[in-house]
Amino acid sequence: MEVLLYSLRKLLAGIPLVLGVTLISFLLIVYFGPDKTYELVGKNPTAEQIAEVRSQLGYDRPFVTRYMEYLREIVTLDFGSSESTDEKVSSILARTIPVSLLLALPGFILGNALGVLLALVAAYFRGGLVDKLIMGSAAVGMSVSYLIAIIGFQILLSSADGLDLFPVRGWDTSTPLAYIQHVTVPTLATVFVALGYNTRFYRAVIVEEMTRDHVRTARAFGIPPAKIFYRNILKNSMVPIVTRVVFSIPLIVISGSLLLESYFGIPGIGKVSYDAIITGDQPVLKAVVALTAILFVVAQLLTDICYRLVDPRVSLGASTR
Amino acid sequence: MNAAAEAMQRRHGDSLWNKAWRKFRHDRVGVVALLVVCAYAIVALGVVLGWWATGWADISGPKWAPLSSEHWLGTNIIGQDIFSRAVYSTRTAFEVGLIVALGATFIGAVLGAIAGFFSATWIDEAVIWLMGVLDSVPFILLVAAIAYSLQDSPWAMHIAMIATFWIGTARLVRGEVIKLKGQEFVESAHAIGLGRMTIIFRHILPNTFHVLLVQATLSFVAAIKSEVILSFLGLGVKDGMSWGLMISESTFEVLAGYFNNFIAASVLMFGLVMAFNMFSDALQDALDPRTVK
Amino acid sequence: MPAPLLEVNNLVVEFSTDAGVVRAVDDVSFSVAAGETVGLVGESGCGKTVTGLALLGLVPTPPGRLASGSIRLDGQELAGLDDSSWRSVRGRKVAMIFQEPMTALNPVFRIGNQMIDVLRQHQRITRRQARAAAIEMLAKVGIPAPDKRIQEYPHQLSGGMRQRVMIAMALSCSPRLLVADEPTTALDVTTQAQVLEQMVRLQQEFGMSMILITHDMGVVAQSCSKAMVMYSGRVVEQAPVTELFARPRHPYTGGLLASIPRIREQRIPELPVIEGTVPDPLNLPEGCRFADRCNKVRDYCRLAQPELKPIGRADSKVACYVPD
């Protein structure tokens, strides 16, 4: 009950944020977006024909009316149909989001799990050779562009000049083997690029927790290192770690895979967004931007609830921190 | 320990900047990184002044020529000299990096300082709201949306990066300013009747300069890295040449076994980004009063 | 005279910094008898906390290290122990409580669990027994409704309560020696007196020895039998408390005592302060480290460091060429 009330309050607090994001996307994509009139009218249009098309497109209505119309579309999740394929936007989303999840999840999970693991090792050997080695590699990894990593792994693993183990591009989830074959190269590239940042971030968090007073207290009472590590360091590190993980979820669902999917030609939400950008497919763009924003608000809510589970100091009853 | 550190500070009796410079000079990695960045900057400057890489667009050589004394790194599919193009792109990288870093740092400093100074008022709330909103729009979609509404302007990429990158700077500056505004020198500025804007921009903001410097280096690196991805997606550099455009060119070449474009652009870019990252790290260490080795 | 419980000889602790090696503790020797309370006094940064940490092998390493010296507790040499041997000493033979009760407890565990952890680390008892023992200890340190409090998280307790929990935790395994580092400094004034009184009472009840690290001469007067004054990493004076207050031998001790406000005595125009600053630990003078601030300084004071030597009839020692 307490959690439910808290969630509701948090959702309400997210409304200004959603309004802001929808306003920006409305302004950029719809209001100041390209004028579609001349694509739709025939050759040598009469003034009446132009006016009619403009009225169909809603260009003659006032700003507020058009914005409210956009909000109505978001609330009802009815974004109309894609301008290029005539498929309903809702069905496009239903078709492509699962693909994006299957593509992004392995890299996301591995990138964070390995990041925490390496960070723990580096923090444990803080200042030593192992630490320097791990953090040096992280610095190298951070300096490699995502695109370069993708192409690099593709040359190494998928081309005739490399090991030629995996398909060059495309997507197939008909069998587990096909899935693994198609997901490996994108996953490796993602992990390679994310690992440096993750390791650095998690190491900083863990080192900070290692230097807390209560760690010294525990040592002063003869508590063994393994127990201190788990109960004093790891448990207290969970809040920032969880925050980072949850906040990257909206990105991987909607736009994190945009580059990956358009490069490998994978029919996920990222590819759809990319095509919509290139062709100027308004209904799809509107839907994607609005949904990401809403996901962000939900992610914030989730982190707040996670805080409560991890840290007893955070009270759900109290106002926001 | 604290007394020791204080005593040391007292002995030298100097400012954050002298101390930071001394610390930085002893950081061998940081110094080497700075030298590398300077070398790149000279290359970029030479391009601007027309000293070299002037023939980057000439279609002079044969298709996919191998390395030779004439074409040091070979040629691309239409016979352009890859070395010239890679060198020319250094200029583009600095252009993008500097414009974005300066723009983002400036906006971040101004809005962050104003929000911090007026913390817990509606002004602060408004800035926080704006940061939250822009944070919630995925970066690539924001670029796309801006490019879309600017009708393919060559500045869409810069504007979109600035619109996103100022947020991190503003958050940090806001925090710093909230800390600073309770301090005595600010109170005395109030007491002698200085205007609020004078206090914010003449007295408080200069004290956050160390934050701004580090943030500017981070924005610079982020801009160069984002350029590659955006150019590949057709949302980046519109005219001229860039590492991102070279790598996009190379995406089909590499599958045919021609790696020169890819390697030239990747290695040059990696070198600059890595050096800048290391420089930024060393700078952060040097400016952090807490780090005691 | 029985052998003392703790005997520290020529202890040296060094920290390496960017600018060079700093000796935080320089050639410190002292002993603590069983059941005795010794005060360790000095300004912040004089090395008193590091001395306390060294007694539990808790000097942060790196950058710090125990460079030389011996620490004998109950006949066992502690200097140079490996980490697992130290663990059997910490909490069981020597316990320590810290200045900052707000941050010294793990915020994400109930205080009961933290106490039970310590108890079960050093004694072969069941969880239930440990819990009962923890409740009993909490009651002993004056925490009302301990069976309820034990369920709470640190942030739900006041500063004074948290420090009592720390004391309860420290006493729970009946250590021979308690090192208390400014245990009351962070508390408000009324709580300070209560907590201090409680500590002294419990120390007598448990018959353990205590080293009380403080900058407050009032605290020393109230609870210690013997006191050591540290300055710039060295012990400059060591004496029974009555003797120290009646006749401070070292000019620095005299200065410390003079700077305590005396409420009942006649009004003085201004509280005397010790002029000057502590020497730079990286750039120590060759002679007496207090010379620059001393009002009795002689030329020869600056030539060589004075040794800590016995003085007077009582068990007093002072490191000064011109003692009072």
Side-chain angles (χ1 to χ4, degrees):
Chain A
M1 191 57 205
E2 193 197 11
V3 175
L4 194 72
L5 271 178
Y6 178 76
S7 312
L8 272 177
R9 201 164 42 231
K10 273 279 160 185
L11 273 179
L12 285 179
I15 287 179
L17 211 56
V18 174
L19 282 178
V21 177
T22 51
L23 187 63
I24 283 192
S25 64
F26 171 75
L27 281 174
L28 290 175
I29 298 170
V30 182
Y31 199 75
F32 293 121
D35 194 328
K36 299 245 170 190
T37 313
Y38 295 94
E39 289 174 25
L40 293 179
V41 295
K43 273 184 183 168
N44 303 323
T46 61
E48 290 89 63
Q49 280 174 317
I50 291 177
E52 195 192 318
V53 169
R54 291 185 69 82
S55 145
Q56 271 173 16
L57 289 167
Y59 288 173
D60 55 349
R61 276 175 288 158
F63 179 89
V64 178
T65 319
R66 293 176 65 192
Y67 178 52
M68 295 309 284
E69 177 70 12
Y70 179 46
L71 286 183
R72 194 190 57 78
E73 288 174 3
I74 295 170
V75 172
T76 57
L77 287 181
D78 175 15
F79 294 97
S81 302
S82 159
E83 284 170 3
S84 40
T85 61
D86 265 346
E87 191 181 354
K88 282 197 60 102
V89 173
S90 48
S91 99
I92 294 180
L93 294 178
R95 175 168 56 82
T96 53
I97 288 178
V99 173
S100 294
L101 282 177
L102 278 178
L103 173 66
L105 271 181
F108 179 68
I109 294 169
L110 276 176
N112 281 294
L114 285 176
V116 172
L117 206 71
L118 285 173
L120 288 175
V121 175
Y124 185 79
F125 294 106
R126 184 166 34 135
L129 187 67
V130 177
D131 181 23
K132 284 187 179 127
L133 220 64
I134 290 177
M135 294 327 287
S137 318
V140 172
M142 283 169 61
S143 304
V144 175
S145 161
Y146 198 2
L147 187 60
I148 295 176
I150 291 175
I151 300 175
F153 276 108
Q154 199 183 37
I155 294 173
L156 276 177
L157 298 175
S158 309
S159 78
D161 294 292
L163 299 172
D164 208 1
L165 290 173
F166 301 102
V168 171
R169 58 201 310 276
W171 187 246
D172 182 358
T173 51
S174 53
T175 64
L177 181 68
Y179 171 54
I180 290 172
Q181 279 180 335
H182 285 86
V183 88
T184 303
V185 175
T187 300
L188 283 174
T190 313
V191 171
F192 185 87
V193 171
L195 202 52
Y197 287 97
N198 288 345
T199 307
R200 245 171 103 99
F201 178 82
Y202 294 139
R203 180 185 177 279
V205 167
I206 291 161
V207 166
E208 183 163 346
E209 292 302 332
M210 282 170 86
T211 53
R212 296 255 185 239
D213 280 0
H214 59 80
V215 173
R216 186 177 65 177
T217 305
R219 290 185 61 208
F221 283 101
I223 306 292
K227 204 163 186 180
I228 294 182
F229 180 73
Y230 175 70
R231 307 194 70 163
N232 295 72
I233 300 172
L234 205 54
K235 191 110 197 259
N236 278 289
S237 305
M238 282 323 282
V239 167
I241 290 179
V242 164
T243 309
R244 187 181 171 89
V245 170
V246 175
F247 265 82
S248 36
I249 289 176
L251 284 178
I252 66 152
V253 175
I254 301 281
S255 75
S257 303
L258 198 142
L259 178 66
L260 219 49
E261 289 171 11
S262 47
Y263 188 90
F264 288 101
I266 296 167
I269 182 80
K271 177 84 166 66
V272 167
S273 318
Y274 177 65
D275 293 343
I277 291 167
I278 297 301
T279 58
D281 196 339
Q282 263 189 19
V284 176
L285 277 180
K286 285 192 293 193
V288 171
V289 174
L291 286 183
T292 325
I294 293 166
L295 260 173
F296 256 103
V297 174
V298 173
Q300 271 173 20
L301 176 70
L302 280 179
T303 35
D304 281 334
I305 293 174
C306 289
Y307 282 158
R308 181 65 185 90
L309 296 178
V310 175
D311 189 341
R313 282 168 298 183
V314 181
S315 153
L316 292 184
S319 60
T320 48
R321 314 192 311 153
Chain B
M1 281 303 286
N2 278 339
E6 275 164 34
M8 255 182 277
Q9 202 172 353
R10 233 180 291 122
R11 179 177 61 153
H12 302 297
D14 51 13
S15 69
L16 173 74
W17 292 100
N18 286 331
K19 220 170 125 190
W21 170 237
R22 212 175 32 250
K23 216 154 152 190
F24 182 81
R25 261 188 345 211
H26 289 291
D27 189 337
R28 217 167 299 160
V29 178
V31 172
V32 171
L34 181 60
L35 289 179
V36 173
V37 172
C38 289
Y40 271 94
I42 291 169
V43 171
L45 197 68
V47 175
V48 175
L49 298 175
W51 291 345
W52 43 63
T54 47
W56 64 274
D58 297 352
I59 305 170
S60 55
K63 170 183 178 180
W64 284 335
L67 314 192
S68 66
S69 57
E70 194 182 350
H71 301 290
W72 289 1
L73 294 177
T75 61
N76 68 0
I77 187 166
I78 55 170
Q80 294 166 314
D81 183 59
I82 288 176
F83 180 74
S84 304
R85 291 165 81 77
V87 168
Y88 184 85
S89 301
T90 311
R91 170 203 159 149
T92 313
F94 268 84
E95 212 171 79
V96 173
L98 283 176
I99 291 174
V100 171
L102 289 177
T105 309
F106 178 76
I107 297 179
V110 171
L111 288 184
I114 289 177
F117 190 80
F118 296 105
S119 61
T121 68
W122 67 270
I123 300 174
D124 186 32
E125 290 290 330
V127 176
I128 291 177
W129 172 79
L130 187 62
M131 297 196 284
V133 167
L134 288 175
D135 254 354
S136 307
V137 186
F139 176 53
I140 293 181
L141 286 182
L142 187 66
V143 184
I146 290 175
Y148 189 73
S149 69
L150 290 180
Q151 309 277 328
D152 293 333
S153 150
W155 299 106
M157 173 180 75
H158 303 76
I159 292 171
M161 285 190 199
I162 293 172
T164 329
F165 293 170
W166 68 271
I167 298 169
T169 308
R171 287 226 163 88
L172 288 176
V173 170
R174 178 177 174 272
E176 281 291 305
V177 170
I178 290 177
K179 260 190 275 168
L180 287 168
K181 75 171 181 180
Q183 289 189 3
E184 281 167 18
F185 73 94
V186 177
E187 313 232 307
S188 58
H190 277 295
I192 59 173
L194 292 180
R196 286 190 294 202
M197 289 301 137
T198 316
I199 294 176
I200 297 175
F201 293 110
R202 296 288 298 279
H203 295 264
I204 299 183
L205 202 54
N207 284 295
T208 65
F209 193 70
H210 60 287
V211 175
L212 299 180
L213 193 63
V214 171
Q215 285 297 307
T217 62
L218 293 177
S219 301
F220 189 101
V221 172
I224 294 177
K225 287 180 73 176
S226 304
E227 183 273 320
V228 174
I229 291 170
L230 294 175
S231 291
F232 170 75
L233 294 173
L235 298 167
V237 174
K238 291 292 191 297
D239 19 57
M241 194 19 73
S242 78
W243 292 327
L245 289 175
M246 288 178 72
I247 293 172
S248 326
E249 258 180 32
S250 78
T251 50
F252 54 90
E253 289 180 351
V254 294
L255 295 176
Y258 297 98
F259 301 111
N260 293 355
N261 238 340
F262 175 64
I263 292 174
S266 303
V267 170
L268 269 181
M269 178 188 159
F270 172 78
L272 180 59
V273 172
M274 178 93 185
F276 233 106
N277 272 338
M278 298 254 164
F279 169 62
S280 175
D281 273 2
L283 202 63
Q284 256 174 85
D285 271 356
L287 288 169
D288 186 352
R290 288 172 311 172
T291 48
V292 180
K293 260 188 198 160
Chain C
M1 196 175 157
L5 174 77
L6 174 78
E7 222 178 338
V8 174
N9 280 310
N10 309 98
L11 185 69
V12 176
V13 181
E14 292 179 340
F15 285 88
S16 43
T17 70
D18 273 342
V21 174
V22 170
R23 280 202 168 184
V25 176
D26 189 1
D27 197 22
V28 164
S29 304
F30 62 92
S31 63
V32 179
E36 187 182 30
T37 298
V38 174
L40 190 51
V41 202
E43 292 167 286
S44 55
C46 71
K48 54 191 200 297
T49 294
V50 178
T51 307
L53 289 173
L55 298 180
L56 282 92
L58 286 176
V59 173
T61 316
R65 70 190 188 96
L66 205 149
S68 63
S70 115
I71 302 168
R72 289 189 82 78
L73 180 79
D74 226 358
Q76 184 192 6
E77 176 59 55
L78 301 183
L81 283 188
D82 61 22
D83 208 57
S84 73
S85 313
W86 263 120
R87 274 203 299 284
S88 61
V89 173
R90 293 175 191 152
R92 185 159 62 182
K93 293 181 181 163
V94 191
M96 184 158 181
I97 49 185
F98 300 96
Q99 176 171 359
E100 228 3 285
M102 306 312 265
T103 53
L105 289 163
N106 189 347
V108 297
F109 284 98
R110 297 175 200 278
I111 58 165
N113 284 340
Q114 298 187 48
M115 294 188 68
I116 291 168
D117 268 2
V118 171
L119 279 159
R120 296 196 63 198
Q121 186 62 41
H122 299 294
Q123 292 167 34
R124 300 182 134 255
I125 51 174
T126 64
R127 233 188 132 68
R128 184 186 290 264
Q129 288 170 322
R131 197 183 133 84
I135 294 177
E136 195 187 328
M137 256 347 280
L138 288 177
K140 270 213 168 95
V141 296
I143 289 183
D147 50 331
K148 292 210 177 61
R149 289 293 182 178
I150 201 166
Q151 304 272 22
E152 293 186 343
Y153 288 100
H155 72 277
Q156 294 170 297
L157 303 175
S158 69
M161 282 296 162
R162 280 188 234 189
Q163 199 59 299
R164 284 170 208 262
V165 170
M166 280 298 295
I167 295 168
M169 219 158 116
L171 300 184
S172 63
C173 293
S174 321
R176 305 293 312 274
L177 174 69
L178 178 66
V179 180
D181 183 7
E182 306 262 13
T184 59
T185 308
L187 309 178
D188 63 62
V189 184
T190 44
T191 323
Q192 276 186 7
Q194 289 172 12
V195 169
L196 197 64
E197 219 165 279
Q198 196 102 42
M199 282 180 62
V200 173
R201 201 172 49 72
L202 288 165
Q203 179 252 333
Q204 282 159 2
E205 185 183 328
F206 280 71
M208 66 182 178
S209 309
M210 178 153 84
I211 295 178
L212 188 61
I213 299 171
T214 179
H215 64 273
D216 186 345
M217 278 294 191
V219 168
V220 174
Q222 197 181 336
S223 42
C224 302
S225 51
K226 188 166 98 178
M228 287 183 297
V229 181
M230 280 187 81
Y231 186 80
S232 187
R234 292 179 76 95
V235 176
V236 293
E237 181 165 5
Q238 181 180 319
V241 165
T242 44
E243 183 75 13
L244 190 83
F245 277 77
R247 193 177 173 191
R249 304 281 190 168
H250 197 282
Y252 178 62
T253 316
L256 279 183
L257 289 173
S259 57
I260 306 176
R262 277 159 227 245
I263 298 166
R264 278 188 227 155
E265 287 177 20
Q266 66 207 65
R267 196 175 294 213
I268 40 176
E270 198 177 88
L271 213 54
V273 290
I274 307 176
E275 296 284 338
T277 54
V278 185
D280 176 0
L282 280 167
N283 208 357
L284 291 170
E286 279 196 15
C288 175
R289 291 175 190 177
F290 189 62
D292 282 346
R293 301 171 77 181
C294 186
N295 51 14
K296 295 167 62 184
V297 64
R298 307 279 191 273
D299 286 345
Y300 51 81
C301 288
R302 301 186 188 275
L303 295 179
Q305 259 186 82
E307 297 289 316
L308 192 64
K309 282 183 185 144
I311 187 170
R313 276 169 296 130
D315 182 22
S316 303
K317 287 175 182 171
V318 69
C320 182
Y321 295 120
V322 281
D324 283 315

